Amino acid sequence: MKNNLIRGIRKASDFLMALQLTGAFKESTLANLQVDLPAVVIGGGLTAIDTATELAAYYPVQVEKALNRYESLIGAYGKEKVEKAFDEEESETISRWLEHGRQVRAERERAAASGQKPNLVKLVRSWGGVSIVYRKSLQDSPAYRLNHEEVIKSLEEGICFVERLDPVGAIADGCGKLAGINFERQLRDESGHWK
């Protein structure tokens, strides 16, 4: 895939290692592992399934941590001083994360008051969610052939599976950050081969 190293793209194994080794998912850590939604995971193996489900679970943790830290900094230094440290792109990102963090907090409070589990899957999906894009069909994917239970579980956790798209290249915005991905639609010919 062309431009596969621009800001906003991360290799699945790097993401999973960074998530586990840094402890970014823990409230107490200062580890900085940033992800954003909507997110696309390209591949059809079990690593793609793991990456998609971990990313969908981590994003609410990330935005909740961002909200808590932002509120602590505002309390200590004041809103003007804290927000002056952000450039335009960072201001846009933190604004979105703070809004999402407030929604996560509200959902946790709603769930606690009603004795239910918070429905974070619904929130993640409302923010664009996480999709797995594979160049063949779901039934042809290694994840499905090796462990279809994992695929079923990921679908239950809100992961979308998009079939028959082959990535051609990443598109950068004016700041050099990922803005989109071009895909080619894959078709199966009469002999059963994908192209």
Side-chain angles (χ1 to χ4, degrees), residues 15 18-35 57-74 82 86 93-94 96-106 108 120 127:
F15 166 75
L19 183 64
Q20 296 305 316
L21 294 178
T22 66
F25 55 89
K26 297 177 185 174
E27 175 61 36
S28 61
T29 186
L30 291 175
N32 186 16
L33 177 61
Q34 294 182 0
V35 297
Y58 174 66
Y59 184 78
V61 171
Q62 172 192 270
V63 297
E64 205 169 22
K65 281 172 54 174
L67 175 61
N68 292 338
R69 289 186 180 145
Y70 177 84
E71 290 172 343
S72 294
L73 290 170
I74 295 294
V82 170
F86 299 126
T93 300
I94 195 67
R96 183 175 58 256
W97 288 1
L98 294 175
E99 176 55 31
H100 292 174
R102 289 181 189 105
Q103 290 177 37
V104 170
R105 182 184 285 167
R108 289 192 192 284
L120 300 180
W127 300 324

Side-chain angles (χ1 to χ4, degrees), residues 157-173:
E157 293 178 17
I159 305 303
C160 296
F161 199 95
V162 183
E163 301 177 309
R164 300 186 342 243
L165 292 180
D166 193 23
V168 176
I171 304 164
D173 67 9

Side-chain angles (χ1 to χ4, degrees), residues 63-159:
V63 297
E64 205 169 22
K65 281 172 54 174
L67 175 61
N68 292 338
R69 289 186 180 145
Y70 177 84
E71 290 172 343
S72 294
L73 290 170
I74 295 294
Y77 302 105
K79 184 173 182 173
E80 184 178 336
K81 188 171 186 178
V82 170
E83 292 189 351
K84 194 163 69 171
F86 299 126
D87 66 21
E88 185 178 337
E89 182 183 358
E90 292 166 337
S91 292
E92 180 184 310
T93 300
I94 195 67
S95 293
R96 183 175 58 256
W97 288 1
L98 294 175
E99 176 55 31
H100 292 174
R102 289 181 189 105
Q103 290 177 37
V104 170
R105 182 184 285 167
E107 174 59 18
R108 289 192 192 284
E109 290 169 357
R110 182 209 60 79
S114 62
Q116 299 174 337
K117 282 182 64 175
N119 188 350
L120 300 180
V121 169
K122 183 178 178 182
L123 286 177
V124 168
R125 287 189 109 177
S126 75
W127 300 324
V130 180
S131 299
I132 296 173
V133 176
Y134 185 56
R135 61 187 170 83
K136 296 179 182 179
S137 72
L138 174 60
Q139 291 80 9
D140 291 317
S141 74
Y144 186 83
R145 287 184 283 120
L146 296 172
N147 191 345
H148 67 276
E149 292 89 359
E150 286 288 319
V151 175
I152 292 167
K153 185 67 176 157
S154 73
L155 296 173
E156 291 170 358
E157 293 178 17
I159 305 303

